[in-house]
Amino acid sequence: MNSPEYQSVKTIRLMASRRDDLIRAATLLRDAKLVALPTETVYGLAANGLNDAAIEKIFVAKSRPLTNPLILHVHDADSALALFDIKNDRRALSRFQRLAQQMWPGPLTLVAKKAPHVPLLATAKGLSVAVRIPANGVTRALIKEIGFPLVMPSANLSTRPSPTTADHVLATLDGRIDAVVDDGACDVGIESSVVKIDDDVVRILRPGMIDARMLAACLDEEVEHHTSAPTSDRALSPGLAALHYSPLVASVTVCQSDEVKNYWLKTDTILLRRSDYFSLKNDLGSRSDDAKSILTSDDPRAFARELYEKLYDAERDPHTALVIVIPHDNQEAWSAIVDRLRRAARS
Ligand code: TXA
Ligand code: MG
């Protein structure tokens, strides 16, 4: 991890609804400053993606290892294509065109061979680059206006949960970044699906709400999950390293619903789906009055939207012993959520 040597700054809150505030955000970004911006997935920490000095500040502000590459965000498909070197790769080009047309703007990031002008600092020295078009209209208009792509990792200190409100951004980055543009809560709530399109097989490197079935239907070909244990997959997508998305509480334990009885009668805070809560209550009886149960939605889209809010809520009491019950559900829509929950475990 980098040393957290940053110059403390005053972080200003700008409002997405105010024209003057957006002009201020654009000026800051042109001056190689750091501005957190809303996207439909989570808030991102933006900097000029073609400027090494600006990109470097991102790694310092987030305390992010330089080995973890960044996603470049653009406002249209032509700008995205210009960041790749796939013009002579017909298979990758055709996949790009189909996905760009049907899924963008939206929670999908495409990875392929990078164009020469993409800074190696953004790709962690790798020869592939990750690119997406976010659906938030304010952020897209801002990117169009400034005329350069933005690197935007999630706007949180490294390893902590991604932010879905401007308050979450300030919870870990206040004083470390120049501004945050507040546009309320994010719609999707978990990070984009990251998909590599220039190998023999299309591979999901990070699952998200655009799932394998949707990708396969769009591409008319098989799509593979890059499924490996949370600890052993640093090489292909370093952001998948274990211990990610983790709230800062005394402990975080992740378990299946058949293991939860060990915790049910204790005072640990249990986070679980509403339906799981009621069936466990039926089996195991009521929990004690001083035991907190955080109930989440039974619908995967609503669960994703609420998840990080609930994790930041749990942080309000740093003594919390948090137990997360993994939803037992094979539906593809849950796979991204289960991935995030497993990576929240902190022993
Ligand atoms: O929804 C999102 O993707 C959000 C919003 C702000 O756009 N951004 C985000 O960025 O989640 P970050 O940096 O927190 O996660 C980026 C992920 C990491 O898992 C990283 O390893 C992977 O994308 N990634 C980035 N560039 C890559 C590359 N060239 N090859 C493989 N994986 C890459
Ligand atoms: Mg992140």
Side-chain angles (χ1 to χ4, degrees):
M1 205 165 269
N2 312 55
S3 60
E5 276 180 40
Y6 66 96
Q7 300 245 304
S8 183
V9 291
K10 181 162 168 36
T11 305
I12 50 176
R13 186 193 292 255
L14 302 169
M15 298 309 295
S17 54
R18 288 199 203 122
R19 182 71 200 142
D20 285 357
D21 280 12
L22 296 177
I23 292 171
R24 179 98 180 262
T27 305
L28 287 167
L29 290 166
R30 286 197 186 98
D31 289 347
K33 303 273 168 90
L34 305 185
V35 181
L37 297 177
T39 86
E40 80 283 27
T41 57
V42 300
Y43 275 73
L45 181 58
N48 184 340
L50 299 181
N51 176 326
D52 274 353
I55 300 171
E56 201 174 352
K57 287 184 194 167
I58 294 252
F59 287 98
V60 175
K62 278 183 58 92
S63 246
R64 179 178 174 113
L66 285 163
T67 47
N68 193 356
L70 302 169
I71 300 171
L72 285 164
H73 295 66
V74 293
H75 76 281
D76 68 6
D78 286 344
S79 318
L81 192 56
L83 296 169
F84 290 124
D85 177 8
I86 53 171
K87 277 155 220 94
N88 299 318
D89 180 345
R90 279 176 45 198
R91 192 179 51 190
L93 189 59
S94 137
R95 288 167 177 161
F96 170 89
Q97 281 158 345
R98 285 186 183 218
L99 292 170
Q101 180 162 26
Q102 289 192 41
M103 303 292 185
W104 277 347
L108 175 68
T109 294
L110 299 182
V111 175
K113 190 172 173 206
K114 81 178 195 69
H117 71 286
V118 172
L120 284 167
L121 197 54
T123 64
K125 299 208 175 108
L127 297 180
S128 299
V129 65
V131 181
R132 91 173 184 102
I133 305 181
N136 183 292
V138 168
T139 291
R140 243 186 12 257
L142 193 63
I143 299 171
K144 186 173 179 189
E145 186 180 318
I146 57 184
F148 49 77
L150 294 173
V151 280
M152 270 206 267
S154 51
N156 52 276
L157 271 187
S158 198
T159 79
R160 302 288 295 286
S162 295
T164 54
T165 65
D167 285 345
H168 297 163
V169 173
L170 294 172
T172 72
L173 294 180
D174 195 12
R176 303 176 76 105
I177 63 174
D178 298 285
V180 54
V181 174
D182 188 344
D183 194 26
C186 301
D187 288 342
V188 176
I190 62 171
E191 308 80 358
S192 61
S193 315
V194 177
V195 178
K196 191 153 193 299
I197 56 167
D198 62 348
D199 295 328
D200 286 351
V201 188
V202 175
R203 257 195 207 94
I204 300 179
L205 305 183
R206 177 177 70 182
M209 295 316 276
I210 293 188
D211 62 36
R213 275 225 328 254
M214 296 158 78
L215 294 165
C218 174
L219 291 170
D220 208 11
E221 64 174 307
E222 291 285 307
V223 171
E224 277 183 13
H225 275 282
H226 172 63
T227 46
S228 52
T231 44
S232 64
D233 49 11
R234 289 189 64 80
L236 202 48
S237 191
L240 293 180
L243 189 59
H244 224 86
Y245 318 111
S246 196
L248 202 57
V249 289
S251 65
V252 184
T253 309
V254 171
C255 69
Q256 306 284 347
S257 57
D258 56 1
E259 297 160 335
V260 76
K261 56 176 174 298
N262 303 331
Y263 305 100
W264 192 255
L265 296 177
K266 298 186 182 159
T267 56
D268 305 62
T269 296
I270 301 186
L271 183 151
L272 73 181
R273 286 194 300 198
R274 188 165 278 108
S275 55
D276 291 336
Y277 172 79
F278 285 109
S279 66
L280 283 161
K281 193 173 161 197
N282 239 349
D283 294 351
L284 305 171
S286 291
R287 303 198 65 209
S288 71
D289 289 345
D290 53 348
K292 192 170 163 195
S293 308
I294 304 177
L295 307 191
T296 59
S297 176
D298 292 316
D299 168 66
R301 279 173 205 285
F303 190 117
R305 198 178 306 123
E306 301 162 355
L307 173 61
Y308 292 135
E309 176 78 42
K310 306 264 188 204
L311 295 184
Y312 275 105
D313 265 0
E315 280 192 357
R316 290 213 182 127
D317 177 2
H319 302 296
T320 299
L322 180 65
V323 177
I324 298 175
V325 183
I326 300 283
H328 183 67
D329 203 312
N330 292 330
Q331 256 189 70
E332 184 66 30
W334 286 98
S335 68
I337 293 166
V338 170
D339 169 81
R340 301 307 190 278
L341 294 177
R342 289 197 184 288
R343 289 172 206 284
R346 183 193 286 267
S347 48

